[in-house]
Amino acid sequence: MSDSAAAASVRQGKRLKPRSGRRTFWRYRWLYLFMVPGIIYYLIYQYVPMLGLVVAFQDYNLLKGVTGSPWVGLDNFRTVFSSPDFPVLMKNTLLLSVYRIIFNMLPDLILALMLNEIRVRWFKKWVQTLTYGPHFLSWIIVYGLVYAFFAPGSGLVTTFMRDMGWSSVDVLTNSSVFRPMLILTEIWKSTGYGAIIYLAALANINQELYEAAAIDGAGRWRQLWNVTLPGVRDVFVLMLILRLGHILDAGFEQVYIFLNVRVYDVGDILDTWIFRRGIEQMQFSVPAAVGVFKSMIGLVLVLGANKIAKKLGGSGIW
């Protein structure tokens, strides 16, 4: 091919590329159209509110707004870190979050493994329905149920124990059992729904692996350890990384509803403190600084956990 012909071919290829791109876009136009609501949602509710981060560096005033409020630099962060309540808040938040990671992830996986072993279809559906149901109850209803059973002096369980002459159990206002009560109610409410993810991962495991293991003489327990658990390892690591990103959240809605004055020393967390300071006392700058601090910690933990997961042979998030 001559130089002029090659040059003409290159020019023709360059002219065809834009048309090829437009044809591809037009071919998948409906898929792109389906992406628009999601993109708009994230722009409005995830990215645009990030402009409000400047409030953390201002002495924000509602009347003056973001543009008129004076700039104070890092004073709000100094106020947070020098507060005598901050060590207690961090301790309670981290403990509750770690308890949730340890005691909430394993029940999800265990329930999924048990459901995967059930061969009677009607019984499996019955168990799934029974365990999924609590997820759709609000925390207010869950608190109402707990209060009905364990209210001091009038709950069903406390009344029964009193009538039997036994010592009553103070659940709602006892600092020593407040955290276990939060974890147990969280397990009861979310385990069934959390198992759905692991059931989907179990369904994607190649059945030929089980057949090969059975031919090699592996029983159900050996198949569980050598086939099933490795098959859901990546999903478990992914869920762990996502939970680490929210380690400073500790479940605001549940804690706020169950919280009372007698258990502040073990139940008051960063989010409940932010709510009281920001909404009840109308001080927005200090809670915004706490929000920035939480976001930075979550970002560092997600990046670190993802890197460690990849070094250990997992897929991570990206």
Side-chain angles (χ1 to χ4, degrees), residues 260-280:
N260 57 77
V261 178
R262 295 188 179 182
V263 294
Y264 264 36
D265 56 333
V266 297
D268 199 16
I269 59 175
L270 286 173
D271 285 346
T272 54
W273 183 82
I274 289 173
F275 183 84
R276 293 196 304 272
R277 192 81 179 251
I279 304 300
E280 297 178 358

Side-chain angles (χ1 to χ4, degrees), residues 88-89 91-93 95-97 99-100 103-104 139 142-143 146-147 150 152 169-187 249-270 272 276:
V88 178
L89 296 172
K91 176 185 175 182
N92 294 338
T93 303
L95 282 176
L96 284 175
S97 296
Y99 290 159
R100 289 176 187 275
F103 297 108
N104 285 12
W139 278 115
V142 175
Y143 176 78
V146 175
Y147 187 86
F150 297 101
V169 179
D170 188 6
V171 174
L172 297 174
T173 59
N174 191 339
S175 298
S176 61
V177 298
F178 182 74
R179 289 172 183 160
M181 184 262 296
L182 292 179
I183 301 304
L184 290 175
T185 52
E186 171 73 15
I187 292 174
D249 291 340
F252 164 74
E253 184 180 0
Q254 180 195 17
V255 176
Y256 182 75
I257 291 173
F258 281 84
L259 192 63
N260 57 77
V261 178
R262 295 188 179 182
V263 294
Y264 264 36
D265 56 333
V266 297
D268 199 16
I269 59 175
L270 286 173
T272 54
R276 293 196 304 272

Side-chain angles (χ1 to χ4, degrees), residues 208-218 223:
E208 294 180 356
L209 296 176
Y210 290 105
E211 296 174 1
I215 293 174
D216 291 339
Q223 293 179 28

